[in-house]
Amino acid sequence: MVENNLTTCVEDHVNQRSDCHAWGALILYEIPAVVLGIRPVESGFSRIEISPMVGHFEWAEGEVITPKGMVKVSWRRNSEAGKINLNYELPAGMEIIDIKKEIVYRV
């Protein structure tokens, strides 16, 4: 998209253009909340859940800014065990809850 001088997500893959509709910003929610799985459980991000939806990805990593500081998440598919290996860093004073028991957590 950058090579085509686009400033928003492509909506028309034939003409490679963006009409700058609101849904073009959906990726700004999807990557942190769905692919990385970082979602607040309580207001102010005092407690969060990390439950990535792997889909067709083999791995993902990223950072999300919260009122308490930066949350860093990386995960990689572990096809032998049918699970993912998840690594994360949380700011002080933030708690994580375990939503998906099948995720292998590593700090």
Side-chain angles (χ1 to χ4, degrees), residues 14-27:
V14 175
N15 296 318
Q16 292 292 304
R17 73 166 210 256
S18 171
D19 295 326
C20 202
H21 290 109
W23 56 82
L26 180 62
I27 196 74

PDB file of all heavy atoms in Angstrom, residues 14-27:
ATOM      1  N   VAL A  14      -8.697  -4.275  -7.640  1.00  0.00           N
ATOM      2  CA  VAL A  14      -8.461  -4.220  -9.086  1.00  0.00           C
ATOM      3  C   VAL A  14      -7.746  -2.925  -9.448  1.00  0.00           C
ATOM      4  O   VAL A  14      -6.707  -2.931 -10.104  1.00  0.00           O
ATOM      5  CB  VAL A  14      -9.792  -4.340  -9.867  1.00  0.00           C
ATOM      6  CG1 VAL A  14      -9.559  -4.154 -11.362  1.00  0.00           C
ATOM      7  CG2 VAL A  14     -10.445  -5.683  -9.573  1.00  0.00           C
ATOM      8  N   ASN A  15      -8.284  -1.814  -8.990  1.00  0.00           N
ATOM      9  CA  ASN A  15      -7.688  -0.510  -9.304  1.00  0.00           C
ATOM     10  C   ASN A  15      -6.690  -0.044  -8.246  1.00  0.00           C
ATOM     11  O   ASN A  15      -6.100   1.012  -8.379  1.00  0.00           O
ATOM     12  CB  ASN A  15      -8.786   0.549  -9.460  1.00  0.00           C
ATOM     13  CG  ASN A  15      -9.684   0.256 -10.632  1.00  0.00           C
ATOM     14  OD1 ASN A  15      -9.221  -0.127 -11.691  1.00  0.00           O
ATOM     15  ND2 ASN A  15     -10.993   0.403 -10.434  1.00  0.00           N
ATOM     16  N   GLN A  16      -6.532  -0.836  -7.180  1.00  0.00           N
ATOM     17  CA  GLN A  16      -5.608  -0.497  -6.096  1.00  0.00           C
ATOM     18  C   GLN A  16      -5.849   0.905  -5.563  1.00  0.00           C
ATOM     19  O   GLN A  16      -4.955   1.735  -5.502  1.00  0.00           O
ATOM     20  CB  GLN A  16      -4.155  -0.660  -6.560  1.00  0.00           C
ATOM     21  CG  GLN A  16      -3.753  -2.080  -6.812  1.00  0.00           C
ATOM     22  CD  GLN A  16      -3.695  -2.889  -5.525  1.00  0.00           C
ATOM     23  OE1 GLN A  16      -2.999  -2.526  -4.597  1.00  0.00           O
ATOM     24  NE2 GLN A  16      -4.428  -3.986  -5.483  1.00  0.00           N
ATOM     25  N   ARG A  17      -7.084   1.162  -5.183  1.00  0.00           N
ATOM     26  CA  ARG A  17      -7.380   2.483  -4.651  1.00  0.00           C
ATOM     27  C   ARG A  17      -8.096   2.364  -3.320  1.00  0.00           C
ATOM     28  O   ARG A  17      -8.615   1.318  -2.967  1.00  0.00           O
ATOM     29  CB  ARG A  17      -8.220   3.291  -5.630  1.00  0.00           C
ATOM     30  CG  ARG A  17      -9.648   2.836  -5.737  1.00  0.00           C
ATOM     31  CD  ARG A  17     -10.493   3.889  -6.459  1.00  0.00           C
ATOM     32  NE  ARG A  17     -11.834   3.824  -5.981  1.00  0.00           N
ATOM     33  CZ  ARG A  17     -12.839   3.276  -6.666  1.00  0.00           C
ATOM     34  NH1 ARG A  17     -12.645   2.790  -7.865  1.00  0.00           N
ATOM     35  NH2 ARG A  17     -14.033   3.249  -6.147  1.00  0.00           N
ATOM     36  N   SER A  18      -8.107   3.466  -2.600  1.00  0.00           N
ATOM     37  CA  SER A  18      -8.825   3.535  -1.343  1.00  0.00           C
ATOM     38  C   SER A  18      -9.798   4.695  -1.426  1.00  0.00           C
ATOM     39  O   SER A  18      -9.447   5.783  -1.849  1.00  0.00           O
ATOM     40  CB  SER A  18      -7.857   3.768  -0.193  1.00  0.00           C
ATOM     41  OG  SER A  18      -8.577   4.040   0.977  1.00  0.00           O
ATOM     42  N   ASP A  19     -11.031   4.433  -1.035  1.00  0.00           N
ATOM     43  CA  ASP A  19     -12.039   5.488  -1.039  1.00  0.00           C
ATOM     44  C   ASP A  19     -12.136   6.165   0.314  1.00  0.00           C
ATOM     45  O   ASP A  19     -12.983   7.018   0.510  1.00  0.00           O
ATOM     46  CB  ASP A  19     -13.407   4.914  -1.427  1.00  0.00           C
ATOM     47  CG  ASP A  19     -13.404   4.391  -2.850  1.00  0.00           C
ATOM     48  OD1 ASP A  19     -12.701   4.983  -3.692  1.00  0.00           O
ATOM     49  OD2 ASP A  19     -14.088   3.385  -3.107  1.00  0.00           O
ATOM     50  N   CYS A  20     -11.289   5.768   1.236  1.00  0.00           N
ATOM     51  CA  CYS A  20     -11.196   6.376   2.559  1.00  0.00           C
ATOM     52  C   CYS A  20     -12.496   6.273   3.346  1.00  0.00           C
ATOM     53  O   CYS A  20     -12.910   7.202   4.009  1.00  0.00           O
ATOM     54  CB  CYS A  20     -10.731   7.833   2.441  1.00  0.00           C
ATOM     55  SG  CYS A  20     -10.004   8.453   3.966  1.00  0.00           S
ATOM     56  N   HIS A  21     -13.138   5.113   3.278  1.00  0.00           N
ATOM     57  CA  HIS A  21     -14.322   4.874   4.077  1.00  0.00           C
ATOM     58  C   HIS A  21     -13.914   4.459   5.485  1.00  0.00           C
ATOM     59  O   HIS A  21     -12.810   3.982   5.712  1.00  0.00           O
ATOM     60  CB  HIS A  21     -15.182   3.788   3.445  1.00  0.00           C
ATOM     61  CG  HIS A  21     -15.841   4.225   2.181  1.00  0.00           C
ATOM     62  ND1 HIS A  21     -15.459   3.743   0.961  1.00  0.00           N
ATOM     63  CD2 HIS A  21     -16.834   5.114   1.957  1.00  0.00           C
ATOM     64  CE1 HIS A  21     -16.205   4.305   0.016  1.00  0.00           C
ATOM     65  NE2 HIS A  21     -17.046   5.143   0.600  1.00  0.00           N
ATOM     66  N   ALA A  22     -14.832   4.606   6.394  1.00  0.00           N
ATOM     67  CA  ALA A  22     -14.541   4.316   7.805  1.00  0.00           C
ATOM     68  C   ALA A  22     -14.092   2.879   8.016  1.00  0.00           C
ATOM     69  O   ALA A  22     -13.227   2.612   8.840  1.00  0.00           O
ATOM     70  CB  ALA A  22     -15.770   4.617   8.654  1.00  0.00           C
ATOM     71  N   TRP A  23     -14.670   1.929   7.275  1.00  0.00           N
ATOM     72  CA  TRP A  23     -14.300   0.535   7.488  1.00  0.00           C
ATOM     73  C   TRP A  23     -12.858   0.250   7.080  1.00  0.00           C
ATOM     74  O   TRP A  23     -12.308  -0.775   7.426  1.00  0.00           O
ATOM     75  CB  TRP A  23     -15.251  -0.429   6.796  1.00  0.00           C
ATOM     76  CG  TRP A  23     -15.405  -0.208   5.326  1.00  0.00           C
ATOM     77  CD1 TRP A  23     -14.565  -0.639   4.331  1.00  0.00           C
ATOM     78  CD2 TRP A  23     -16.461   0.483   4.681  1.00  0.00           C
ATOM     79  NE1 TRP A  23     -15.029  -0.252   3.121  1.00  0.00           N
ATOM     80  CE2 TRP A  23     -16.208   0.445   3.286  1.00  0.00           C
ATOM     81  CE3 TRP A  23     -17.607   1.148   5.129  1.00  0.00           C
ATOM     82  CZ2 TRP A  23     -17.046   1.029   2.351  1.00  0.00           C
ATOM     83  CZ3 TRP A  23     -18.434   1.725   4.183  1.00  0.00           C
ATOM     84  CH2 TRP A  23     -18.152   1.673   2.818  1.00  0.00           C
ATOM     85  N   GLY A  24     -12.219   1.162   6.380  1.00  0.00           N
ATOM     86  CA  GLY A  24     -10.811   0.999   6.045  1.00  0.00           C
ATOM     87  C   GLY A  24      -9.924   1.020   7.278  1.00  0.00           C
ATOM     88  O   GLY A  24      -8.785   0.566   7.243  1.00  0.00           O
ATOM     89  N   ALA A  25     -10.433   1.534   8.374  1.00  0.00           N
ATOM     90  CA  ALA A  25      -9.663   1.600   9.621  1.00  0.00           C
ATOM     91  C   ALA A  25      -9.863   0.363  10.487  1.00  0.00           C
ATOM     92  O   ALA A  25      -9.268   0.256  11.545  1.00  0.00           O
ATOM     93  CB  ALA A  25     -10.065   2.853  10.407  1.00  0.00           C
ATOM     94  N   LEU A  26     -10.672  -0.579  10.048  1.00  0.00           N
ATOM     95  CA  LEU A  26     -10.957  -1.771  10.845  1.00  0.00           C
ATOM     96  C   LEU A  26      -9.685  -2.508  11.252  1.00  0.00           C
ATOM     97  O   LEU A  26      -9.596  -3.037  12.352  1.00  0.00           O
ATOM     98  CB  LEU A  26     -11.880  -2.723  10.089  1.00  0.00           C
ATOM     99  CG  LEU A  26     -12.245  -4.002  10.825  1.00  0.00           C
ATOM    100  CD1 LEU A  26     -12.998  -3.691  12.103  1.00  0.00           C
ATOM    101  CD2 LEU A  26     -13.030  -4.918   9.937  1.00  0.00           C
ATOM    102  N   ILE A  27      -8.678  -2.507  10.414  1.00  0.00           N
ATOM    103  CA  ILE A  27      -7.435  -3.205  10.711  1.00  0.00           C
ATOM    104  C   ILE A  27      -6.780  -2.665  11.982  1.00  0.00           C
ATOM    105  O   ILE A  27      -6.079  -3.380  12.688  1.00  0.00           O
ATOM    106  CB  ILE A  27      -6.475  -3.139   9.505  1.00  0.00           C
ATOM    107  CG1 ILE A  27      -5.359  -4.173   9.638  1.00  0.00           C
ATOM    108  CG2 ILE A  27      -5.896  -1.759   9.332  1.00  0.00           C
ATOM    109  CD1 ILE A  27      -5.783  -5.562   9.388  1.00  0.00           C
TER     110      ILE A  27
END
